[in-house]
Amino acid sequence: MAAQREWYEKDYYKVLGVSDTASEKEITKAYRKLARQHHPDANQGDPAAEERFKEISAAYDVVGDPTKRKDYDEARRLGPMAGGFGGAPGGAGGGTFNFDVGDLIGNLFNRGGSRRGAQGAGPQRGGDVEAELTLNFLDAVNGITTTLQLNSDATCSTCHGSGARPGTSPRLCQVCGGRGSVEDNQGPFSFSSPCYACGGRGQIVDSPCPTCNGSGIERRLREVKVRIPAGVDDGQRIRLRGKGSPGRNGGPAGDLIVLCHVSSHPIFGRDGLNLTVRVPITFAEAALGGEIEVPTIDGTKVKLRLAPGTQNGTRQRVKGKGVAAAKGSGDLVVTFDVMVPSKLSGPERKAIEELARVSKASPRAHLEV
């Protein structure tokens, strides 16, 4: 990618109000805040706001793209005078400039010199789209294919992305020859910039589409079919490649980022890939031991053996009966709750009184009371 003049003249980090070490998430957050504040729709008739919005968008187009940001940082580090002003090889003086800055930057990134192959704006990746989805507990455990309703940028339904009115077609830009960029040669320096005639698209639309005004993209309600993998947890974000906003100038679409909310279950809980369940047992079952049935998430039941003298809060683990996800499978962790009856029948009371009479050991002996 050839370095553009603006890269040396403008500090895009300053435009967005972030440091040059800001994370991708911090840059996106700052851009969205500024874009909402200065968007033309929110500032009707204010040309200053419109210019500010364009400046913000131009900054984010560079530092919001990891590849462009890397090139931008490196170009600004080197500076437009990178390479020095040495004379001809073997000469004693001379001070002639025998290099091209565009070629220097182009060769640095292995993308060719600016004089012979600049790509200008070129294809641009579409933006990411964020959405929220509420899942019931079982769908989160097992995975689900569902449809999301999104109000976002989409390929224009009238012109199918060409930007031209139906029945017409874009024509090749004669200024840049379809490259989308033009050269600005100033003596020893050569800068590449988006073509002023076509705006970097490489094509000119003489009859713009009435729906998208020539952009090829419209904002509308669209349905997106998504596959949520098994084992997604509450608060987890799922990135679905290529399901975000459409790209421009033939660029790839962005991603759809789905924030998942998982509803609780009346019986089961969750701890990572492990499922949890609390099972009440009677005093007699706890004291004498025995075999009981325990439910599992798939609707089947498993039998567990209680040891005589099982205490309240005792746990048993059922292997492989937790969440089955791509990264592994969990277990079912069963916690036993010994239930003390709140009301006793006559026979029950007599039986417990007899137990109390014959019991000699005190559970409080260690307290010396």
Side-chain angles (χ1 to χ4, degrees), residues 339-355:
M339 305 304 294
V340 177
S342 57
K343 293 183 180 181
L344 297 173
S345 65
E348 288 173 333
R349 177 174 290 278
K350 288 182 179 181
I352 293 176
E353 288 174 346
E354 179 62 18
L355 175 64

Side-chain angles (χ1 to χ4, degrees), residues 35-362:
R36 286 194 298 268
Q37 181 181 350
H38 298 283
H39 197 282
D41 292 345
N43 300 272
Q44 295 289 345
D46 186 351
E50 184 175 352
E51 288 301 315
R52 175 66 173 147
F53 180 76
K54 291 180 180 178
E55 184 181 30
I56 293 166
S57 299
Y60 183 67
D61 181 61
V62 176
V63 298
D65 182 294
T67 301
K68 290 183 181 179
R69 181 184 182 184
K70 180 180 178 182
D71 293 354
Y72 171 74
D73 289 345
E74 186 67 14
R76 285 178 62 83
R77 184 183 70 81
L78 292 172
M81 304 300 287
F85 301 104
T96 59
F97 306 105
N98 55 5
F99 69 92
D100 179 272
V101 172
D103 287 336
L104 175 66
I105 302 299
N107 289 332
L108 178 65
F109 299 113
N110 297 318
R111 297 181 187 176
S114 66
R115 291 185 184 274
R116 291 173 294 279
Q119 296 301 314
Q124 299 178 23
R125 179 183 180 276
D128 292 340
V129 175
E130 293 188 357
E132 296 187 29
L133 176 64
T134 298
L135 301 166
N136 68 49
F137 192 89
L138 291 179
D139 286 340
V141 169
N142 299 321
I144 186 176
T145 298
T146 186
T147 300
L148 291 178
Q149 300 281 343
L150 301 178
N151 187 17
S152 63
D153 288 345
T155 302
C156 179
S157 58
T158 301
C159 67
H160 306 293
S162 73
R165 183 185 295 273
T168 67
S169 299
R171 60 182 175 86
L172 187 71
C173 176
Q174 298 301 311
V175 174
C176 66
R179 295 190 305 274
S181 66
V182 292
E183 303 295 335
D184 182 7
N185 298 312
Q186 296 190 6
F189 300 106
S190 175
F191 293 92
S192 174
S193 59
C195 177
Y196 61 85
C198 65
R201 298 183 63 177
Q203 296 178 323
I204 293 179
V205 178
D206 294 313
S207 300
C209 169
T211 301
C212 65
N213 295 321
S215 68
I217 296 174
E218 64 171 328
R219 192 168 187 84
R220 59 180 169 84
L221 188 68
R222 62 188 177 105
E223 291 187 347
V224 179
K225 190 175 183 180
V226 298
R227 172 64 185 171
I228 303 300
V232 66
D233 213 342
D234 185 53
Q236 185 175 340
R237 282 179 163 82
I238 304 297
R239 180 179 290 271
L240 303 169
R241 303 288 182 184
K243 293 185 179 292
S245 296
R248 296 177 182 271
N249 303 337
D255 299 335
L256 173 62
I257 302 172
V258 182
L259 173 60
C260 298
H261 302 287
V262 180
S263 301
S264 60
H265 192 276
I267 296 176
F268 296 97
R270 185 169 170 184
D271 181 13
L273 292 180
N274 292 330
L275 294 177
T276 61
V277 62
R278 303 190 75 92
V279 177
I281 59 175
T282 67
F283 173 78
E285 289 172 328
L288 302 175
E291 194 174 71
I292 65 170
E293 287 189 334
V294 174
T296 64
I297 196 69
D298 59 13
T300 62
K301 296 180 175 64
V302 294
K303 290 184 177 182
L304 296 182
R305 184 71 184 175
L306 290 175
T310 295
Q311 299 298 303
N312 185 64
T314 297
R315 294 183 177 183
Q316 285 194 36
R317 184 180 294 266
V318 184
K319 292 289 186 180
K321 286 296 185 177
V323 179
K327 56 183 178 181
S329 298
D331 303 328
L332 176 63
V333 180
V334 183
T335 302
F336 297 112
D337 294 326
V338 179
M339 305 304 294
V340 177
S342 57
K343 293 183 180 181
L344 297 173
S345 65
E348 288 173 333
R349 177 174 290 278
K350 288 182 179 181
I352 293 176
E353 288 174 346
E354 179 62 18
L355 175 64
R357 187 183 68 80
V358 300
S359 297
K360 302 301 182 181
S362 170

